[in-house]
């Protein structure tokens, strides 16, 4: 699949972004369950390895199709960089950084990747210029995430390593942004093949990292193993494939809308399934986020609904 010069945002693009937001928003709860039976780096490695195995199977059934033309040396380096920056490196940075920062700051740092993406795409992705309307929309959406998180958004926890923990979280957000930009710039490629290769690169990084930092993995119980299978299959393998489709067709800036919606789903699902308290600011936050999305994607929404309006 070749990436067009101009992003192609369709109803399917919106559905895929909504699906990714819901899936990744619920992943935090499932991750908490997994961490009861496995260490953080082995959790990251396990979900990536399982996802890679599943995707290799699917890819093999499709004949291992990948790029339509041989890659140049810089393009091969870009693929390796994307594999590292899309999951392996940010997983490690977040696993370490969240030990020294509040969960609120970690959430805000992930939302900031949308703003980072906006700036990077302006300079490096054709058709993704940073207009005033788009900038205002993304800024409003970011404010919505800050309102949702509340007082913990920039709260200090007193850890001596907190500045480094915050830098690690921002570094993870930067990694996600860079990987999407590079992914968009790749030549024509099979999306399943690309998603599989990226997971294989991530597995080659996360497994040695887990061995070095945490030693041999603990033997998981049945519940933990089931959770790891779910994490590998849904929010890693399937979601990684959807992410490739969205970035390659609709563009990295559109894909970054997920970062504003994930905290909302995380809060809603936590209240619904775990009976956690619903933040009073949820409604205000959702309004800000929806307004920000509407402003930043006004042109795409107008084209979408303009096409769907019946002729009179």
């Amino acid at each position: 699949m070749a990436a067009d010069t101009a992003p192609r945002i369709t109803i399917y693009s919106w559905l895929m972004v909504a699906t990714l937001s819901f899936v990744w928003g619920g992943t935090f709860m499932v991750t908490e369950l997994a961490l009861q039976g496995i260490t953080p780096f082995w959790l990251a490695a396990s979900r990536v390895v399982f996802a890679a195995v599943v995707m290799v199977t699917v890819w093999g059934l499709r004949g291992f199709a990948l790029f339509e033309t041989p890659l140049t040396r810089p393009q091969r380096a870009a693929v390796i960089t994307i594999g590292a920056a899309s999951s392996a490196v940010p997983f490690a940075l977040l696993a370490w950084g969240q030990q020294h920062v509040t969960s609120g700051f970690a959430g805000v740092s992930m939302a900031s990747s949308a703003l980072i993406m906006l700036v990077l795409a302006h300079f490096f992705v054709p058709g993704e210029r940073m207009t005033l309307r788009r900038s205002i929309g993304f800024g409003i959406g970011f404010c919505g995430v800050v309102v949702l998180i509340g007082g913990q958004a920039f709260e200090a926890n007193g850890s001596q390593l907190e500045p480094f923990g915050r830098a690690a979280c921002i570094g993870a957000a930067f990694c996600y942004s860079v990987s999407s930009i590079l992914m968009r710039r790749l030549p024509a490629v099979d999306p399943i093949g690309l998603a599989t290769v990226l997971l294989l690169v991530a597995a080659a990084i996360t497994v040695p990292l887990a061995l070095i930092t945490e030693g041999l993995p603990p033997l998981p119980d049945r519940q933990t193993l089931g959770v790891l299978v779910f994490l590998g299959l849904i929010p890693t393998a399937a979601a990684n494939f959807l992410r490739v489709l969205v970035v390659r067709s609709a563009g990295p800036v559109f894909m970054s809308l997920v970062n504003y919606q994930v905290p909302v789903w995380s809060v809603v699902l936590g209240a619904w399934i775990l009976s956690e308290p619903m933040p009073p600011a949820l409604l205000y936050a959702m309004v800000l986020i929806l307004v920000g999305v509407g402003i930043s994607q006004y042109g795409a929404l107008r084209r979408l609904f303009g096409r769907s309006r019946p002729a009179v």
Side-chain angles (χ1 to χ4, degrees):
M1 179 182 68
D4 297 336
T5 301
R8 292 183 293 105
I9 300 173
T10 66
I11 185 63
Y12 299 107
S13 306
W14 288 99
L15 289 174
M16 286 189 287
V17 161
T19 301
L20 286 170
S21 303
F22 177 78
V23 169
W24 283 336
T27 300
F28 295 101
M29 293 187 304
V30 184
T31 299
E32 289 295 326
L33 292 174
L35 286 172
Q36 296 174 13
I38 195 168
T39 51
F41 285 145
W42 273 115
L43 169 59
S46 299
R47 61 184 287 190
V48 169
V49 168
F50 183 79
V53 170
V54 171
M55 291 301 294
V56 165
T57 303
V58 176
W59 187 29
L61 294 174
R62 291 172 54 87
F64 295 107
L66 193 54
F67 290 97
E68 294 182 4
T69 57
L71 296 183
T72 63
R73 182 175 297 178
Q75 288 171 337
R76 289 195 295 270
V79 170
I80 295 173
T81 302
I82 297 167
S86 62
S87 53
V89 174
F91 281 1
L93 288 174
L94 286 171
W96 184 86
Q98 285 187 257
Q99 300 175 92
H100 306 289
V101 302
T102 62
S103 59
F105 181 84
V108 167
S109 66
M110 290 301 97
S112 71
S113 65
L115 301 177
I116 297 171
M117 191 100 65
L118 185 65
V119 176
L120 291 177
H122 174 80
F123 293 103
F124 298 108
V125 180
E128 295 274 27
R129 293 192 62 80
M130 186 172 62
T131 63
L132 178 61
R133 186 187 69 242
R134 182 177 280 182
S135 302
I136 291 173
F138 275 82
I140 292 174
F142 180 76
C143 290
V145 175
V146 173
V147 168
L148 176 63
I149 294 173
Q152 295 185 31
F154 301 103
E155 191 178 72
N157 65 0
S159 170
Q160 188 174 5
L161 294 176
E162 185 172 24
F164 299 99
R166 292 190 172 195
C169 291
I170 297 297
F174 186 78
C175 284
Y176 287 131
S177 302
V178 169
S179 65
S180 292
I181 297 295
L182 292 175
M183 190 187 301
R184 173 69 179 175
R185 292 171 59 88
L186 289 174
V189 64
D190 178 79
I192 289 181
L194 179 59
T196 305
V197 169
L198 298 182
L199 285 169
L200 289 171
V201 172
I205 296 172
T206 53
V207 172
L209 179 63
L211 279 170
I212 293 170
T213 57
E214 297 175 344
L216 293 175
L219 184 64
D221 56 35
R222 183 176 299 178
Q223 175 180 305
T224 302
L225 185 60
V227 172
L228 291 176
V229 169
F230 172 81
L231 286 172
L233 183 62
I234 305 300
T236 308
N240 193 57
F241 171 61
L242 284 183
R243 180 183 178 228
V244 169
L245 285 179
V246 173
V247 171
R248 295 287 294 170
S249 60
V253 171
F254 184 80
M255 173 65 201
S256 69
L257 296 177
V258 171
N259 299 302
Y260 293 149
Q261 301 172 59
V262 165
V264 174
W265 278 114
S266 178
V267 169
V268 170
L269 291 173
W272 178 33
I273 297 176
L274 303 179
S275 300
E276 294 177 346
M278 187 78 78
L282 176 62
L283 180 60
Y284 303 111
M286 289 179 66
V287 169
L288 284 171
I289 290 171
L290 289 174
V291 168
V293 170
I295 292 174
S296 66
Q297 299 300 317
Y298 173 74
L301 287 168
R302 186 178 61 182
R303 290 191 297 272
L304 179 65
F305 289 106
R307 284 197 300 267
S308 62
R309 188 184 301 124
V312 293

